[in-house]
Amino acid sequence: MSHLLPDILFYVFSALSVAGAVLVLVNRNPMTCAMSLVVSVLSLAILYLLLSAHFLAVAQMIVYAGAIVVLFIFVIMLLNLTDEELGRFRFSLFKTIGAFVAVATLLAVAPDIRVSIPAPAAGDAGAPAGYGSTKAVGKLLFGEFLLPFELTSILILSAMVAGVVLAKRELQPKKTHSLVDWLLGFFRT
Amino acid sequence: MIVPSLLLELAPVLVKIFGAFFVVLTLTAYLTLAERKFSAFIQDRIGPNRVGPFGLLQPLADGIKFIFKEDIIPTQAHKLYYILAPALLLVPALMGYAVIPFGDYVEVAGRLIPLQIADVDIGILYVLAIAGLSVYGLFMAGWASNNKYSLLGGLRSSAQMVSYELTLGLSIVGALLVYGTTNLRDIVVQQTAYWQVGSILIPKWGVFLQPLGFLLFLVSAFAESNRLPFDLPEAENELVGGYHTEYGSMKFAMFFMGEYTGMITMSALLTTFFFGGWHVPWLEAAGLSRNVAAILGVGAFCAKTGCFLFLYIWVRWTLPRFRYDQLMKLSWKGVFPLALANVFLTGVCLYLYSRLM
């Protein structure tokens, strides 16, 4: 009884996540692609929940569904492409080869993935208490994996700075702002 | 044997789910009446008073009217998304309640039942994640209507929601540092403690610990629920009606319900985080039984939430609307740096406290 519901949920949401991912590739309408991506992302979040990785599931929802795809859709709405501008779907040699290679890779890798999953040990009680909680993830991130975590944050910071530089490239350099200027400007508005 | 025990397990949960659902939807309906009554009071009018005593049946009349209105779908609209949009706005708004504790434990037939639908460890993160999803309803409505005013409304809403979601999350990081947990029930329990100043006991409410965090959260909550002075996505003197220009009948009503339900969630969160949730100060001294105290607690929770709902309405009919660039400036150059400063200051204070004490 207790194992039936998680199993059903697992199959339903695995199917949904794969279907969403396929629809992102196949669809012509960018808005439908973005919404399929949301379906895929949210299904993955539910799979994380089933693996009792609660914090990861919520982070997936906040970061991917709540921010990244929203920005995609923001751009799609700004462009607002019509069907004529998108053109009709055409088969080309490259697309055919690409699809063939993708399917072939999947088939080649699938047996190895199957082998790499460890069989559940007899009397396996599942995840220990507190596994995947905010506290557990936090302790791992700021303890054992502190260096990779901080390096990743530097990587993201440099990407952010690069984004600002690229976006502001055409603007004239203005006089530098100090903290005092910022405070004055804040209280003036 | 399995079925009766399963029913016994499920019964309190189902009662709580349906109870919360019923209360929230009724409150949503009556909030529209309260909005109209208070706006009338503020503008020195009488307000709706024709349907039932003091106009109390007005929400019912509104509901019947909405249901019987002709349901028009514009010919150029994208049908699937047009129909899906109101549901995508309303469903996340209703899902947020699942983790908010509205009372302490009650004892029924020898079992302790928490007055909360789901006591989960990730509590507040769940609410933030769900609140983040409601933006899809807004811009889907704006895009599917195939109307430039709707599209602009949708664009504004997505930019506004993303910006203020960030500050909403960041403004409570300070409070989370103080409480040391993301579980909403634990947060309320921590606020039931007291400071002793002379002979006076002051409740350890979050608002005293995190005054700046509270203000920033309040501002972000107003923006997140698209209420004046931040209702740019539907600014009627610029955008006709924004994202819901093309909507009529019950679909329009669902947008309306989504907005009011969002207000109730945010008010309940403000209560839980900064005003002690269901905690009634100094009640412990009275020595009441568990059930009586719990029911009084539910009353206190409703009263505190009601105060914030009144604040929402009061602000709407008092303050003018921001300009769009001012709105964005406030978020990125005002609230965001202040929230970061709040996190830093809280961290320093906690470190010093742990060293000195």
Side-chain angles (χ1 to χ4, degrees):
Chain A
M1 189 67 206
S2 61
H3 283 284
L4 192 61
L5 189 62
D7 281 355
I8 294 171
L9 288 176
F10 170 78
Y11 284 115
V12 168
F13 286 103
S14 317
L16 264 179
S17 69
V18 173
V22 170
L23 278 175
V24 174
L25 296 174
V26 175
N27 241 300
R28 295 295 291 156
N29 187 332
M31 192 55 120
T32 310
C33 287
M35 290 321 292
S36 310
L37 193 57
V38 176
V39 170
S40 183
V41 161
L42 289 182
S43 312
L44 273 181
I46 298 196
L47 291 183
Y48 290 145
L49 269 186
L50 288 173
L51 293 168
S52 51
H54 299 158
F55 179 76
L56 194 58
V58 177
Q60 165 98 357
M61 278 171 82
I62 293 175
V63 175
Y64 287 95
I68 292 181
V69 184
V70 173
L71 291 179
F72 286 175
I73 293 187
F74 193 75
V75 176
I76 292 171
M77 279 172 75
L78 275 178
L79 295 175
N80 205 16
L81 295 171
T82 56
D83 287 341
E84 296 87 68
E85 284 166 324
L86 285 170
R88 286 190 38 228
F89 181 77
R90 280 185 311 225
F91 279 103
S92 67
L93 186 62
F94 281 116
K95 278 178 189 161
T96 321
I97 294 173
F100 181 74
V101 170
V103 172
T105 315
L106 182 70
L107 287 178
V109 172
D112 292 327
I113 296 175
R114 184 78 190 81
V115 169
S116 69
I117 300 169
D124 190 356
Y131 176 83
S133 67
T134 317
K135 190 177 252 172
V137 174
K139 277 191 171 159
L140 273 181
L141 274 184
F142 291 100
E144 197 178 334
F145 297 103
L146 181 63
L147 187 66
F149 179 72
E150 292 297 337
L151 285 178
T152 313
S153 66
I154 291 172
L155 184 70
I156 293 173
L157 181 67
S158 54
M160 219 158 74
V161 172
V164 173
V165 169
L166 284 175
K168 295 271 176 185
R169 191 170 42 178
E170 275 136 42
L171 295 181
Q172 291 294 316
K174 280 194 281 189
K175 71 178 172 73
T176 49
H177 283 278
S178 66
L179 185 67
V180 181
D181 288 334
W182 174 79
L183 281 173
L184 284 175
F186 175 59
F187 287 114
R188 212 174 283 140
T189 44
Chain B
M1 272 314 284
I2 292 173
V3 174
S5 68
L6 194 71
L7 264 182
L8 205 64
E9 284 291 316
L10 280 179
V13 179
L14 288 177
V15 166
K16 280 186 285 187
I17 290 175
F18 283 109
F21 198 64
F22 177 77
V23 168
V24 166
L25 282 183
T26 313
L27 192 60
T28 303
Y30 273 90
L31 207 53
T32 62
L33 179 67
E35 173 110 57
R36 291 165 73 177
K37 278 282 187 190
F38 281 127
S39 72
F41 172 71
I42 287 167
Q43 296 174 341
D44 207 8
R45 295 182 284 115
I46 295 171
N49 66 347
R50 296 286 108 182
V51 195
F54 310 107
L56 278 178
L57 296 178
Q58 186 70 41
L60 204 67
D62 286 344
I64 294 170
K65 185 184 162 194
F66 272 130
I67 289 169
F68 284 101
K69 280 241 175 180
E70 189 186 354
D71 192 9
I72 299 167
I73 298 178
T75 41
Q76 294 296 308
H78 193 296
K79 281 217 177 50
L80 174 67
Y81 291 154
Y82 182 85
I83 295 169
L84 212 57
L88 276 184
L89 189 77
L90 186 57
V91 170
L94 283 170
M95 276 166 73
Y97 293 96
V99 295
I100 295 176
F102 47 86
D104 205 352
Y105 288 85
V106 286
E107 200 174 336
V108 179
R111 286 164 43 130
L112 282 181
I113 297 170
L115 289 178
Q116 180 184 21
I117 294 171
D119 187 6
V120 291
D121 195 43
I122 46 173
I124 179 62
L125 297 172
Y126 166 85
V127 180
L128 289 179
I130 293 294
L133 293 184
S134 63
V135 65
Y136 286 103
L138 294 185
F139 61 47
M140 200 183 265
W143 185 79
S145 300
N146 209 350
N147 169 332
K148 55 188 157 202
Y149 296 114
S150 300
L151 187 72
L152 275 174
L155 271 175
R156 281 184 177 187
S157 77
S158 44
Q160 176 179 337
M161 294 286 258
V162 169
S163 312
Y164 279 93
E165 238 162 59
L166 192 74
T167 55
L168 194 74
L170 205 59
S171 60
I172 53 163
V173 171
L176 290 179
L177 280 176
V178 173
Y179 298 134
T181 175
T182 49
N183 184 321
L184 289 172
R185 176 166 290 277
D186 288 352
I187 287 173
V188 175
V189 169
Q190 287 194 26
Q191 291 179 79
T192 57
Y194 292 96
W195 285 298
Q196 192 154 15
V197 181
S199 61
I200 310 162
L201 291 172
I202 300 173
K204 259 189 184 173
W205 285 0
V207 67
F208 303 126
L209 290 161
Q210 286 282 317
L212 182 60
F214 165 66
L215 276 178
L216 298 175
F217 189 84
L218 189 69
V219 171
S220 309
F222 269 76
E224 189 71 5
S225 40
N226 281 324
R227 289 283 295 189
L228 262 160
F230 304 115
D231 69 337
L232 275 300
E234 46 178 315
E236 51 279 279
N237 44 11
E238 301 163 29
L239 296 180
V240 190
Y243 56 89
H244 58 51
T245 305
E246 297 286 353
Y247 281 84
S249 171
M250 207 54 206
K251 291 201 195 72
F252 173 74
M254 279 171 80
F255 280 118
F256 227 70
M257 283 158 71
E259 179 184 328
Y260 282 95
T261 317
M263 275 164 63
I264 302 173
T265 317
M266 285 302 161
S267 304
L269 264 189
L270 278 162
T271 307
T272 309
F273 246 85
F274 298 104
F275 284 87
W278 36 260
H279 179 226
V280 187
W282 309 295
L283 191 72
E284 293 87 350
L288 295 169
S289 74
R290 182 191 285 279
N291 283 359
V292 175
I295 288 165
L296 278 178
V298 174
F301 179 79
C302 295
K304 289 171 188 175
T305 308
C307 287
F308 281 111
L309 289 173
F310 175 69
L311 183 69
Y312 262 109
I313 295 171
W314 191 12
V315 166
R316 171 167 179 186
W317 298 98
T318 310
L319 294 182
R321 184 178 290 133
F322 273 73
R323 226 170 48 219
Y324 194 66
D325 60 316
Q326 290 172 331
L327 174 90
M328 283 319 216
K329 211 173 185 174
L330 179 73
S331 166
W332 291 99
K333 295 186 173 175
V335 180
F336 182 66
L338 283 176
L340 274 180
N342 185 42
V343 173
F344 181 70
L345 276 178
T346 311
V348 170
C349 288
L350 281 175
Y351 178 74
L352 291 177
Y353 183 80
S354 69
R355 274 298 155 101
L356 296 175
M357 293 289 159

